Amino acid sequence: IFYKIGVSMSGIIGASENMKSGIVGGFATGQVIQIQQRMYASSSSSVATTTLTKALSSSVAQYYVTIDNVDANNDVFLIMTAAVWKTSSNWPNTGSGYGIFRGDTAIFETQSYADNMRWASHSNNNESANCTTIQFLDTSPSAGSNTYYFGLRTDHAYNSANILGGNNVFTAMEIKG
């Protein structure tokens, strides 16, 4: 047996850490294979519906992360963090719910009032803001490329919600199934 001094024997060969071809022996079940992250800093348009909707900035769904080269039978763990501003118009609550879309399909959704602030009076200037993080394990992603979008909804027709500018972070991790 010949060993070259100074060469590590990791069991994985390839040109970069993003290259999954050339794997010798494979990954163990539950091991993170790749991580993709996207930050988006602009504010979204207001969402004023109790139906889960992709958050938009300048009419485009900008609050997302894409993960490529997902292998068949693997899972994708998602962590989505956004600063959300809620206002109400003549209603005592400022509430919203959140979710995740894979492409155009909603795959995770909280209650519409998951993030709720109750005020003492019916005012048209009730407001609240917070940093929201949702997590979800997608156990049936498509092999290849998957794009996941942050979804937003309000708890009442009198309310609106939007994502504030700043470092909104969207993370996807492929996990060996």
Side-chain angles (χ1 to χ4, degrees), residues 78-114:
L78 301 156
I79 304 170
M80 297 192 158
T81 302
V84 179
W85 178 263
K86 299 168 292 277
T87 59
S88 69
S89 172
N90 207 17
W91 184 250
N93 298 340
T94 55
S96 58
Y98 311 103
I100 299 172
F101 290 84
R102 181 189 334 105
D104 290 328
T105 304
I107 59 171
F108 172 75
E109 188 171 353
T110 68
Q111 295 284 347
S112 63
Y113 51 84

Side-chain angles (χ1 to χ4, degrees), residues 3-174:
Y3 290 99
K4 186 174 180 183
I5 298 174
V7 174
S8 68
M9 302 293 284
S10 69
I12 299 175
I13 56 174
S16 73
E17 61 276 4
N18 294 328
M19 183 179 201
K20 294 194 298 186
S21 63
I23 296 172
V24 176
F27 291 98
T29 300
Q31 190 170 15
V32 175
I33 297 173
Q34 66 167 316
I35 299 173
Q36 296 298 321
Q37 187 172 71
R38 182 170 187 274
M39 293 173 40
Y40 191 73
S42 293
S43 296
S44 76
S45 304
S46 289
V47 170
T49 178
T50 58
T51 302
L52 187 66
T53 305
K54 290 180 189 177
L56 303 178
S57 178
S58 300
S59 300
V60 177
Q62 296 284 3
Y63 305 91
Y64 68 88
V65 60
T66 299
I67 189 163
D68 295 317
N69 301 317
V70 174
D71 290 337
N73 302 315
N74 286 350
D75 301 330
V76 176
F77 184 65
L78 301 156
I79 304 170
M80 297 192 158
T81 302
V84 179
W85 178 263
K86 299 168 292 277
T87 59
S88 69
S89 172
N90 207 17
W91 184 250
N93 298 340
T94 55
S96 58
Y98 311 103
I100 299 172
F101 290 84
R102 181 189 334 105
D104 290 328
T105 304
I107 59 171
F108 172 75
E109 188 171 353
T110 68
Q111 295 284 347
S112 63
Y113 51 84
D115 185 8
N116 192 296
M117 177 72 172
R118 178 148 178 94
W119 300 91
S121 66
H122 296 262
S123 172
N124 62 0
N125 62 353
N126 290 340
E127 303 171 341
S128 66
N130 65 301
C131 185
T132 297
T133 298
I134 56 175
Q135 301 176 12
F136 180 73
L137 181 65
D138 185 5
T139 58
S140 57
S142 300
S145 181
N146 290 277
T147 300
Y148 296 94
Y149 298 90
F150 185 82
L152 188 59
R153 64 194 269 181
T154 61
D155 68 341
H156 195 278
Y158 289 139
N159 294 347
S160 64
N162 71 290
I163 298 175
L164 297 172
N167 287 331
N168 300 295
V169 181
F170 311 100
T171 305
M173 293 179 260
E174 181 182 1

